[in-house]
Amino acid sequence: MPRVFNFSAGPAMMPEAVLRRAAEEMADFSGSGMSVMEMSHRSKDYVAIFEGVEMKLRAALGVPEGYAVLFLQGGATLQFSAVPMNLLAARGAADYAVTGFFSKKAFQCAKMYGDVRAACDTGDYYAIPGQDGLALNPDASYFHYCHNNTVYGTRWPYLPETGGVPLVCDMSSSILSEPADVSKFGVIYAGAQKNMGPAGLTVVIARKDLLDAPPLPGTPDLLRYKAQAENGSMINTPATYGVYLLGLVLDWLAGQGGVEAMAKHNARKAAAVYDAVDASPVFACKAEQSARSMMNVVFSSGSEETDGRFIKEAKARGMVTLKAHRATGGIRASMYNAMPLEGAERLAELIREFA
């Protein structure tokens, strides 16, 4: 059966070249006589893989020397607790931008740990507030926001100015999809299952001076950034195969021209689908034009029955997992790095034909 165009929001489509290379190396990695997933994480062969992947990620994102790169587990959701546990005690307060489904979950989780307030809460999550719409606390330990909103299909079109308060950003659905100046952030975290590899791996990039901040009492070592950095992300067995696959994805990304080339590719895909939706007499996109996501195009006819027919027809044409999140209903086309332009163009063609 030919491969389908998988528009899932995550776990998401992976580059076919990566899957084929992983298949070739599955039973015998580089003459070792074993699979990577069988290797001891302390072995010489695996440590070489692990350290090599960190170097590739630093190169791809331009991570400065003064930052630690951690390969952890628990997904972005566990970071909703890890961030306040590590950073909140520094000044005792934190600001959260509540602009979507997961930023709201992060905010609600952080409130359990101390003085955490919403710098904004748009309520209608189809728009991103401007800089003047942020009520900032200059004495906050950090400002947290989610760069790309997978559920409502929006992204921050600008970098928030916080007057020196460290930026903490959930980049789960946009990391590696466009350039980001890492030096502007205190902490970046991301689940791997959209642009980096399979579910199970979480990447945290943290400014080293923030690692010295005292964590909240009772923070376990597995959630302490400094403890993880001092132990090379190996306090316990890491997601060994997920890290290996991230390395293959980074090799593939470099072959595509890197993050800057990928951003242009993603913009073309998104434009193809948005143009078709905007011209359609059947479908509409609620996301504010200036804040539309390149990764997740969310649209609907306003009729559950009509949307269902479209999703069924798309599946018959080899385009799957287009049903949107329950919070919005409708249709969601998630087009992360691995989605080829052909998939976006085929979806746009169906949108036009469906009218």
Side-chain angles (χ1 to χ4, degrees):
M1 178 178 177
R3 278 178 58 77
V4 297
F5 293 108
N6 178 12
F7 290 91
S8 171
M13 190 173 192
M14 288 184 62
E16 186 171 354
V18 168
L19 297 177
R20 293 190 181 281
R21 181 175 166 189
E24 291 171 2
E25 297 177 345
M26 174 62 74
D28 181 7
F29 174 77
S30 192
S32 65
M34 69 179 80
S35 171
V36 171
M37 68 176 64
E38 298 173 295
M39 290 180 177
S40 164
H41 60 294
R42 303 289 185 186
S43 68
K44 182 178 179 180
D45 285 345
Y46 186 75
V47 169
I49 293 172
F50 200 83
E51 292 177 348
V53 174
E54 179 181 339
M55 291 177 61
K56 292 174 187 177
L57 184 60
R58 285 183 177 275
L61 290 173
V63 179
E65 190 64 34
Y67 283 73
V69 174
L70 308 177
F71 295 131
L72 308 178
Q73 299 172 66
T77 303
L78 190 58
Q79 294 305 309
F80 296 168
S81 292
V83 166
M85 283 181 161
N86 281 275
L87 303 180
L88 188 55
R91 296 185 181 178
D95 284 344
Y96 275 67
V98 182
T99 56
F101 186 85
F102 290 105
S103 60
K104 185 175 183 178
K105 288 185 71 173
F107 171 60
Q108 291 172 333
C109 182
K111 284 198 297 183
M112 297 188 297
Y113 297 101
D115 181 12
V116 173
R117 63 190 192 93
C120 67
D121 189 339
T122 56
D124 178 352
Y125 298 134
Y126 291 108
I128 299 295
Q131 179 68 42
D132 58 0
L134 304 178
L136 299 173
N137 175 6
D139 296 319
S141 297
Y142 62 91
F143 173 90
H144 178 284
Y145 74 110
C146 181
H147 179 250
N148 184 77
N149 183 352
T150 61
V151 174
Y152 293 87
T154 60
R155 66 181 280 281
W156 283 68
Y158 69 96
L159 189 71
E161 293 287 342
T162 57
V165 172
L167 284 176
V168 175
C169 188
D170 178 354
M171 286 192 186
S172 292
S173 54
S174 59
I175 195 168
L176 296 176
S177 71
E178 59 181 290
D181 185 350
V182 175
S183 71
K184 301 292 187 182
F185 297 87
V187 174
I188 293 170
Y189 65 90
Q193 66 271 18
K194 303 175 190 293
N195 276 323
M196 295 192 289
L201 171 66
T202 308
V203 170
V204 173
I205 302 169
R207 214 171 67 204
K208 289 182 178 178
D209 64 291
L210 295 178
L211 302 185
D212 292 326
L216 292 177
T219 301
D221 280 354
L222 280 177
L223 292 180
R224 286 179 56 222
Y225 294 151
K226 186 171 185 178
Q228 288 284 9
E230 289 175 342
N231 287 275
S233 302
M234 290 191 181
I235 291 177
N236 67 333
T237 305
T240 55
Y241 201 69
V243 173
Y244 156 75
L245 284 174
L246 169 57
L248 299 192
V249 170
L250 291 168
D251 288 343
W252 171 83
L253 180 66
Q256 304 302 305
V259 172
E260 290 189 0
M262 189 54 61
K264 296 176 182 177
H265 176 63
N266 289 331
R268 290 179 64 193
K269 291 185 294 184
V273 178
Y274 280 124
D275 287 350
V277 171
D278 289 342
S280 173
V282 178
F283 298 111
C285 172
K286 290 184 180 180
E288 187 179 85
Q289 189 97 20
S290 64
R292 285 181 170 181
S293 169
M294 285 200 301
M295 299 285 94
N296 312 95
V297 181
V298 180
F299 59 100
S300 175
S301 68
S303 162
E304 187 175 342
E305 188 272 335
T306 301
D307 291 343
R309 284 197 294 117
F310 179 87
I311 291 168
K312 184 177 180 180
E313 177 61 25
K315 185 175 182 180
R317 299 192 188 193
M319 294 175 282
V320 302
T321 332
L322 280 161
K323 186 175 181 179
H325 192 276
R326 62 186 179 276
T328 63
I331 300 157
R332 173 172 58 179
S334 296
M335 298 180 290
Y336 302 116
N337 287 354
M339 175 63 67
L341 180 60
E342 181 188 352
E345 291 176 336
R346 190 177 295 185
L347 179 62
E349 181 182 6
L350 176 56
I351 291 169
R352 289 189 290 268
E353 288 182 13
F354 195 77

